[in-house]
Amino acid sequence: MSLVTFGETALRFAPPDGQRFETAREASIRVDGTASGVAATAGRLGADARWLSKIPDTPLGRRVVAELHEFGLETDIVWADPDAGRQGLTFHEDADPPRAERLLQDRGNTAMATLTPGELPMGEIQNADVVFTSGATLSLSDTAADTTGALLRAAAGMRAFDLDFHPGLWDAEDARDALADLLPAVDTLFAAEEQVSAVFDTTGSPREVVHTLATEYDLTRVILTRSEYGAVAYHDGVIHEQDAIETTAVDESGQHEAFIGATLQQLAAGADTDEALLHGVAAAALSRTLSGPLTPLEPSEVERLVDSQQSRRP
């Protein structure tokens, strides 16, 4: 099966554990993008996955693509003149309670914000079994939002979208208005539970929330991720629930993308919703044991964890 994703990938700077940028003397640099992370996970688990984007032809832009290639991800890049747009950055400070983590966004005037539909290979999008993008791409500019809608409407296969709401990029009201225009072009919506509450101002249990979103926006499938509580999905009038798999967390920054990548890989391969969710939570659990937002999952480890969970079912 083929999966095509498109969107911006930022460079994430992070000081060593427990330090703040104002006092840190060093920082790690990693790629951090929802669309590329989803494609990378799906590709490692057996999908024919490719990430499309517009990147500035600068050292920072080339750094993004080089790391994704080292990970084994196939890419199709529109290289932009440095004057046409910059490379997006994020700055992440980890912390243990009672201190809170901080994520600072520096993604204004990026190359991806200028992307138009004619710049990407439309044939790849039209022929893909699954096309995926996220709200972070939508938030970059009106041009990026219009392009996102055009590309999703052009897709003939499954059209999947992750809410991916970050207050540092736009506010909830703008996100809600943009999604009202976009979601009619979406089949499958992924969303983190806390982001749904922020954007849609929903009330009720997770089971009620997925049903409400599916009904209101005429979505075939809605999948709500709930961190340590697993996932809840609505599909064809049926509610599906999957508990999380308990692990010792090293880094949770890549678990959401790992969940989506594994779930989409399974759905596109013909798995039912319950099987896809189980693979999703297995991938998320393994991702939490690895450092960084882009995690090198092993297919055999995912399958072993899935098998162990299935063997415990009555």
Side-chain angles (χ1 to χ4, degrees):
M1 73 83 157
S2 59
L3 168 68
V4 171
T5 75
F6 64 91
E8 183 179 60
T9 290
L11 276 178
R12 185 180 85 154
F13 291 77
D17 291 346
Q19 296 188 33
R20 295 297 196 196
F21 276 106
E22 63 186 271
T23 57
R25 300 295 184 185
E26 58 186 14
S28 62
I29 306 175
R30 306 286 291 271
V31 297
D32 186 8
T34 300
S36 56
V38 167
T41 295
R44 290 189 71 92
L45 298 181
D48 177 12
R50 183 176 294 267
W51 172 65
L52 314 180
S53 191
K54 187 173 185 178
I55 298 288
D57 192 4
T58 64
L60 293 181
R62 292 191 293 273
R63 168 69 171 77
V64 168
V65 177
E67 183 172 341
L68 293 173
H69 285 171
E70 289 174 1
F71 198 83
L73 179 60
E74 295 292 329
T75 66
D76 201 328
I77 304 300
V78 179
W79 290 105
D81 187 279
D83 294 334
R86 54 187 288 273
Q87 171 59 47
L89 308 175
T90 63
F91 299 88
H92 179 259
E93 294 178 338
D94 198 7
D96 292 322
R99 289 171 53 210
E101 295 183 3
R102 291 197 293 196
L103 179 64
L104 310 175
Q105 302 280 358
D106 182 15
R107 295 166 72 176
N109 303 314
T110 63
M112 188 65 190
T114 69
L115 180 74
T116 60
E119 293 181 283
L120 290 183
M122 192 61 71
E124 289 192 37
I125 291 169
Q126 292 172 329
N127 296 326
D129 295 311
V130 180
V131 173
F132 171 87
T133 192
S134 75
T137 300
L138 205 66
S139 71
L140 297 175
S141 67
D142 290 341
T143 298
D146 291 342
T147 297
T148 299
L151 295 178
L152 286 174
R153 285 189 289 271
M158 181 192 300
R159 296 165 294 179
F161 183 84
D162 179 40
L163 180 57
D164 197 21
F165 173 71
H166 298 283
L169 293 177
W170 57 350
D171 62 34
E173 184 177 356
D174 289 340
R176 188 162 51 249
D177 291 344
L179 289 167
D181 294 332
L182 179 80
L183 288 180
V186 171
D187 303 314
T188 298
L189 173 67
F190 291 88
E193 184 175 21
E194 66 276 9
Q195 294 181 3
V196 168
S197 299
V199 174
F200 296 106
D201 194 25
T202 55
T203 59
S205 70
R207 294 169 64 94
E208 292 170 332
V209 167
V210 293
H211 180 267
T212 297
L213 290 176
T215 302
E216 183 172 350
Y217 294 101
D218 194 25
L219 296 161
T220 302
R221 186 183 281 110
V222 177
I223 300 176
L224 195 69
T225 61
R226 308 187 62 221
S227 190
E228 69 270 24
Y229 300 108
V232 177
Y234 173 93
H235 180 222
D236 284 347
V238 178
I239 300 293
H240 305 262
E241 296 184 83
Q242 175 60 55
D243 291 337
I245 300 172
E246 186 175 348
T247 55
T248 300
V250 172
D251 186 346
E252 298 180 350
S253 60
Q255 66 174 349
H256 188 68
E257 290 78 8
F259 174 90
I260 296 174
T263 300
L264 286 178
Q265 185 270 329
Q266 284 291 301
L267 290 175
D272 61 27
T273 299
D274 288 324
E275 183 74 7
L277 292 181
L278 179 54
H279 278 78
V281 297
L286 291 168
S287 173
R288 290 194 295 272
T289 69
L290 298 167
S291 177
L294 192 65
T295 49
L297 300 182
E298 293 292 338
S300 60
E301 292 180 334
V302 174
E303 290 301 330
R304 189 180 309 118
L305 192 53
V306 167
D307 290 343
S308 69
Q309 295 301 304
Q310 291 175 329
S311 66
R312 298 176 185 177
R313 290 177 174 174

